[in-house]
Amino acid sequence: MAQYEDIFKIRHNGLLPEKGRILISEPFLRNLYFQRSVVLLVRHDEQGSMGFVLNKKTTLWVNDFFDGFDCIPRIPVYLGGPVLSERLFFIHSLGNIIPDSVRIGGNLYFDGNFEALRLYLSSGKPAGGNMKFFLGYSGWTENQLQGEIEQDSWLVSRESSRNIMLAEGESFWKQSVESVGGSYLTWINYPRDPILN
C-alpha cells in the first residue's frame, strides 16, 4: 500500500515548526490520534515540542469534571494527544485574566491558574470562543518532530487564532489545508485509504 501513498505524496513546505504554528497531518497518516488532525504547537525548543490536537472532540464535557460547573453551559473536551491522557489542559484568549498563563502568540495563551478560570466561568462569562480544553497532549522529544516533518508526515502552517477555539472534525483539517493552498489543495480530495479509491 505504501507504493500508492507515494504517488500522492507532496513534500513538506520548508516552514519550520515554532510555538504558535500549526501542524497539519498528511492525508494518509495512520496514527489514530493524528489521522487528519491539526495540532497547535504551544512549545517548541531544543528539548522537544508540545501541542494539542485541535479538531478531535470527545464525548466528554468539562462540566462533568468539576463541582460547581453544572450551572454553566456545557463545555466540550477535545483529545489533545496521547501523553498524560488523564490530565486536562486548556488554551484561552483571556490573557492576564488568568494569571500564570503562558503566551503562545497573538491573543492565544496556554494553561494558567485554574481557580481564576473557575471563577471566570462561574460568574457567567462565556467559554465558547474564549477557551478550549484537552485531555492529554501531543509531545515530541528532541529532534523527533523535525524528523517527522522531513518524512513528510506533517505540513507546518501559520494559523491565526480566530478559528482555533471552534475547530473540530475533518472539516477543520480541510480548512487548514485550504489556507496553505497551492499543490496541497489536492489533499482535500484524497481518500483516507488510497487502495479503496
Side-chain angles (χ1 to χ4, degrees), residues 179-190:
S179 73
V180 176
S183 58
Y184 295 101
L185 290 174
T186 60
W187 281 10
I188 294 168
N189 299 315
Y190 289 1

Side-chain angles (χ1 to χ4, degrees), residues 118-135:
R118 184 194 300 265
L119 289 171
Y120 175 88
L121 291 171
S122 299
S123 68
K125 295 186 176 135
N130 291 319
M131 60 193 70
K132 193 165 195 168
F133 292 83
F134 307 91
L135 271 181

Side-chain angles (χ1 to χ4, degrees), residues 58-125:
T58 72
T59 58
L60 302 172
W61 303 93
V62 173
N63 311 58
D64 300 329
F65 284 76
F66 304 101
D67 293 334
F69 277 23
D70 50 347
C71 298
I72 64 172
R74 289 162 69 88
I75 305 168
V77 175
Y78 290 77
L79 185 65
V83 184
L84 289 179
S85 58
E86 301 293 317
R87 184 181 184 281
L88 197 64
F89 297 89
F90 63 99
I91 59 173
H92 60 90
S93 59
L94 302 174
N96 294 332
I97 294 172
I98 308 298
D100 305 321
S101 298
V102 177
R103 186 170 178 269
I104 300 168
N107 192 32
L108 205 54
Y109 296 80
F110 161 55
D111 268 0
N113 183 288
F114 193 80
E115 190 53 39
L117 179 68
R118 184 194 300 265
L119 289 171
Y120 175 88
L121 291 171
S122 299
S123 68
K125 295 186 176 135

Side-chain angles (χ1 to χ4, degrees), residues 14-102:
L15 191 62
L16 296 175
E18 62 181 53
K19 183 170 71 171
R21 289 194 174 161
I22 64 167
L23 306 173
I24 305 168
S25 68
E26 64 96 359
F28 304 120
L29 199 62
R30 296 266 179 242
N31 184 296
L32 179 63
Y33 282 98
F34 300 122
Q35 188 177 57
R36 303 231 170 172
S37 66
V38 180
V39 177
L40 171 68
L41 287 175
V42 299
R43 183 176 67 83
H44 179 74
D45 55 35
E46 59 279 356
Q47 274 88 44
S49 306
M50 176 183 185
F52 299 108
V53 177
L54 294 169
N55 60 323
K56 306 269 179 159
K57 188 158 68 167
T58 72
T59 58
L60 302 172
W61 303 93
V62 173
N63 311 58
D64 300 329
F65 284 76
F66 304 101
D67 293 334
F69 277 23
D70 50 347
C71 298
I72 64 172
R74 289 162 69 88
I75 305 168
V77 175
Y78 290 77
L79 185 65
V83 184
L84 289 179
S85 58
E86 301 293 317
R87 184 181 184 281
L88 197 64
F89 297 89
F90 63 99
I91 59 173
H92 60 90
S93 59
L94 302 174
N96 294 332
I97 294 172
I98 308 298
D100 305 321
S101 298
V102 177

